[in-house]
Amino acid sequence: MTSVSSPARPGPAAGPGAGRTPRPGDGHGFLRTRKVREAITGLAFAGPALVVFAVFMFWPLVRIFWISLQKTSGFGIAKFIGLENYREILADSIFWEALANTALYTALSVPLCLVAGLGAALLLNRSMPARGLVRAIYYMPAVISGVSSALIAAWMFNEDLGIVNELLGAVGLGPVPWQSEGLPAMISLVLVSLWIGLGFNMVVYLAALQGIPREVYEAARCDGASWWQTLRSITIPSLAPTTFFLVVIGIINSFQVFDIVYVMTGGGPGNSTTMLVTYAYSTGFEQRQQGYASAIGVLLYLIVLVMTVVQWRVNRRRDIA
């Protein structure tokens, strides 16, 4: 009797997933679901910060650009004039003088604050008596309000009763016209900005210095390197990212300087210490030309943005090289 055999069934396909029962979560659907969940989680964490940015940063920027296209005093009906405010700025000699003053103030104050902050950090990074107290004294001007610091400085640099002229007179240098001449007035602003900004730069540099491995300095000393050689070849290159950060922050702050100028000199004598922000303030709130002042603010924003981007690209190319 001949037996009838059943037809052969195809065996399972060979491969890494052979014999495994497929699950509904496998494949592209699972990946898409996972990406959606990650995106929702990221938005949930970033959402509050994005809302704050949109309300307090993005919307005011859009609003000030719209106002810069109008002729308005802040009251009544505004008149749309397009780019007329910007055309007037290009022919405004006071604007260009304020821009030159701001650039000069930046060129003087930012490097001085960097050098002074690095010097104080190098000094206070060593063991010394009352080091914590000295650090607090250096940092104290950074936590005092700018107006308070400017009021103190205005008294110190007073031409008749100020302690600075008293000290200069005691050593035979005579009184300096801090408020009545342009160059001394600008120097007084730079010195005050150095006093205020020293503490912040010192703290940032101090944190960066403590992040440099001690073994590197020990190896350099074993090779006979001097203090100046280690500073030039180890410390300063290791602090390059910190220096870049402080340069960007310093330029932004110096282009936005207002309180010490408004309190100490008021932009005078003449327009010798008028900065872009003080000029925008006087135009918008004293002369009630808020459209014109908004146009100055937009140009100030673009100037700072361009300078920051240029610095970032130069620093990035240097790191790649």
Side-chain angles (χ1 to χ4, degrees), residues 63 281 302:
R63 181 63 179 168
Y281 173 83
L302 294 177

Side-chain angles (χ1 to χ4, degrees), residues 49 77 87 106-107 161 163 169-170 190 252 267 275 281 312 314 316:
I77 301 176
R87 284 191 287 267
T106 302
L161 304 174
I163 189 175
V190 173
I252 293 175
M275 307 294 177
Y281 173 83
W312 178 77
V314 170
R316 184 180 180 185

Side-chain angles (χ1 to χ4, degrees), residues 152-159 162 164 178-179 188 191-192 264:
I152 297 173
W155 171 77
M156 293 175 60
F157 285 97
N158 186 278
E159 295 181 10
V164 176
W178 297 110
Q179 284 85 33
S188 68
L191 292 176
V192 173
M264 291 183 60

Side-chain angles (χ1 to χ4, degrees), residues 93-112:
S93 60
I94 301 179
F95 170 81
W96 293 109
E97 187 175 0
L99 178 60
N101 292 337
T102 307
L104 176 61
Y105 172 81
T106 302
L108 293 176
S109 62
V110 173
L112 286 176

Side-chain angles (χ1 to χ4, degrees), residues 216-233:
V216 179
Y217 290 105
E218 294 175 0
R221 283 193 293 268
C222 291
D223 291 338
S226 63
W227 177 86
W228 171 251
Q229 289 174 329
T230 57
L231 175 66
R232 183 183 59 186
S233 302

Side-chain angles (χ1 to χ4, degrees), residues 19-222:
R20 184 173 62 86
T21 304
R23 292 180 297 178
D26 291 346
H28 297 289
F30 173 74
L31 295 178
R32 284 196 298 266
T33 304
R34 182 178 180 181
K35 290 181 179 180
V36 170
R37 290 179 178 176
E38 291 177 352
I40 293 175
T41 303
L43 288 175
F45 281 105
L50 293 176
V51 171
V52 172
F53 175 81
V55 173
F56 295 101
M57 297 291 293
F58 182 74
W59 171 245
L61 183 62
V62 174
R63 181 63 179 168
I64 196 174
F65 177 73
W66 173 246
I67 296 175
S68 71
L69 304 178
Q70 302 174 353
K71 183 177 182 180
T72 176
S73 64
F75 302 99
I77 301 176
K79 179 182 178 182
F80 181 81
I81 58 174
L83 299 177
E84 185 62 29
N85 286 325
Y86 295 94
R87 284 191 287 267
E88 290 184 12
I89 287 177
L90 295 178
D92 187 353
S93 60
I94 301 179
F95 170 81
W96 293 109
E97 187 175 0
L99 178 60
N101 292 337
T102 307
L104 176 61
Y105 172 81
T106 302
L108 293 176
S109 62
V110 173
L112 286 176
C113 284
L114 288 175
V115 174
L118 178 58
L122 290 172
L123 177 64
L124 297 178
N125 195 37
R126 301 178 177 182
S127 298
M128 57 180 297
R131 183 173 60 175
L133 178 61
V134 176
R135 289 179 181 178
I137 292 175
Y138 272 111
Y139 192 71
M140 189 175 298
V143 299
I144 301 175
S145 69
V147 174
S148 300
S149 300
L151 288 172
I152 297 173
W155 171 77
M156 293 175 60
F157 285 97
N158 186 278
E159 295 181 10
D160 301 321
L161 304 174
I163 189 175
V164 176
N165 275 351
E166 291 290 335
L167 294 175
L168 292 176
V171 296
L173 297 179
V176 178
W178 297 110
Q179 284 85 33
S180 57
E181 291 187 10
L183 182 58
M186 179 64 73
I187 293 175
S188 68
L189 294 177
V190 173
L191 292 176
V192 173
S193 69
L194 174 62
W195 175 50
I196 296 174
L198 171 63
F200 176 77
N201 288 3
M202 178 202 69
V203 169
V204 176
Y205 269 133
L206 193 59
L209 284 173
Q210 294 176 354
I212 301 176
R214 298 293 96 187
E215 295 81 3
V216 179
Y217 290 105
E218 294 175 0
R221 283 193 293 268
C222 291

